Each structure stands twice: as C-alpha cells, then as structure tokens.
Amino acid sequence: MKKIPEITLLFWIMKICATTLGETAGDLLSMTLNVGYLISTIILLVGFLITLVAQLSLKKYVPVIYWLVILSTSTAGTTLSDFMDRTLGFGYAVGSSLLVFLLCLTLFIWYNSEKSLSVSDIKSKRGELYYWTAILVSNTLGTALGDYLAENSGLGFSGGAILIGSLLAITILAYYFTKILTVFLFWVAFVLTRPFGATFGDLLTKNDEKGGLDFGTVGSSMILFSVLLILVVYASMEQRKNCKI
C-alpha cells in the first residue's frame, strides 16, 4: 500500500510550502475575515476529515489528494494552535509543551500498535490513521513553536526562521553523518519545518513595523498556493511517468 511519497528534497520543499500556506490561509480565515479561532478550527477540521477520507479510500499515492491532506492539517493546525494559546489562554510555552506530549503519546501508541514508526512502509489503515494523527499534531505544535519564537523569544520573524533553519541543517547533517534512527530524524525534521513555515509565513504577511514583508494574508496565500500548485502538478507528472516504467 504505497500511498505516500518518497522522502526526497522535493518532498521537503513541498512540505515547507504547504505549511507556510497553511499559516497564511489559517490567519486569512480566522483574522483577516474575522471568522474567529474556534469557528475557523471547526471548519478546517471538517475539511481535514473530508480530505482524509479521500486519502484513506485510495489504493496508491495520488499527489493532489496527499498534499490536500497535508495542507488541511496545516491550516487546521494553525487555527487550533491559536485557539489553544490565545482564546483558551494557555500561552505559547504551555501550548507547545502540551502538544509535544500529545505527539510523543501518538508516536508511542502507534509504535506499540504497529511495531513500527516507518513512514515509507505503512501496511494498514490503522497505521495510516496514526500517521495522519501525528502529522496533524506536529503541524499544530509547529505553529505554537513558531509563534513562541517570533513573538516571545525576542528573535522576531526573521530570527525565528534563521534559528529553525539552523536546526534543520543540523538534522540533515545528523542524517548523513550519524547513526541516529532515520525515523526519529524524519519526525524531528517534520516538526521543525512547521515552525519554519509559520515564521516564514509571518515574515511574508506582517507589516514593516513588525519586521515583515507586508504581502498580507491574501497576497501571501495566493503566491504560496501558486507555487504549491506548480509543484503538485510536477509531482503528478513524475508519478505518471514512474507508473509507465
């Protein structure tokens, strides 16, 4: 049941693009359109469930559907994190700690159930559900971490992005030059690319006074959607080409 893409450079580029779009699109719905964090989260979680059902019904990897689920977890994770940290008053530090615990718990249950955390050889629907649950939690965690770095750490949007980028570079070096488990490094990288996308998204949308580029949520979302669409089309073409071989 090969329903997920190969973990290549293209995968990580598309993941960062999708999570950054998730940040800007989530903010567009909850703040720019003034829908609010709770209602936005409910709407986006319903969207996530719809795309997830479509993904679970497939028998092979379909780039459009797969990346729609990734995007839906990212947008839902953005508003869910904001709802926890701002509306419920948890704050970024407490919210991030809670989400770290939930991610570790998800991975622990997944491993004890499936005896594996492999993201390249998922053999059951139950394993798929654990996979997507971990992705939803990690994307929510990434938003909280990104907001903490951008707003509470004193680093600002660009400083937060540089820090996360450096941690990602260390993770890449660990993959090539250490014997640390590949699965562990994958989840570290997956979590880190979310706050990188969150801080980069804030860098695109915020005004000059806040250290941003002032594209706004609408302009940033349109740019990122266009880039992601091009990458998905390319991935689909490569998928068809591989199927013919």
Side-chain angles (χ1 to χ4, degrees), residues 33 41 48 51 67 110 115 120 135 138 157 172 185 188 199 213 215 217 220 233-234:
L33 298 179
T41 298
F48 162 65
T51 58
W67 289 104
W110 180 2
K115 306 307 177 186
S120 59
I135 285 179
S138 68
F157 302 119
I172 293 171
L185 291 176
V188 170
T199 52
L213 297 177
F215 284 111
T217 55
S220 300
V233 170
Y234 173 78

Side-chain angles (χ1 to χ4, degrees), residues 121-194:
D121 188 26
I122 299 175
K123 297 180 178 180
S124 68
K125 282 289 194 295
R126 184 171 59 183
E128 242 189 312
L129 287 171
Y130 286 131
Y131 172 81
W132 288 112
T133 300
I135 285 179
L136 176 62
V137 176
S138 68
N139 278 335
T140 307
L141 168 61
T143 300
L145 286 174
D147 287 341
Y148 173 78
L149 290 174
E151 299 185 24
N152 287 7
S153 67
L155 294 173
F157 302 119
S158 57
I162 291 171
L163 175 61
I164 294 298
S166 300
L167 293 175
L168 281 170
I170 293 172
T171 305
I172 293 171
L173 291 174
Y175 173 78
Y176 285 107
F177 298 107
T178 72
K179 295 183 179 180
I180 299 175
L181 288 175
T182 303
V183 170
F184 173 76
L185 291 176
F186 170 85
W187 287 109
V188 170
F190 202 94
V191 170
L192 288 176
T193 50
R194 184 63 185 93

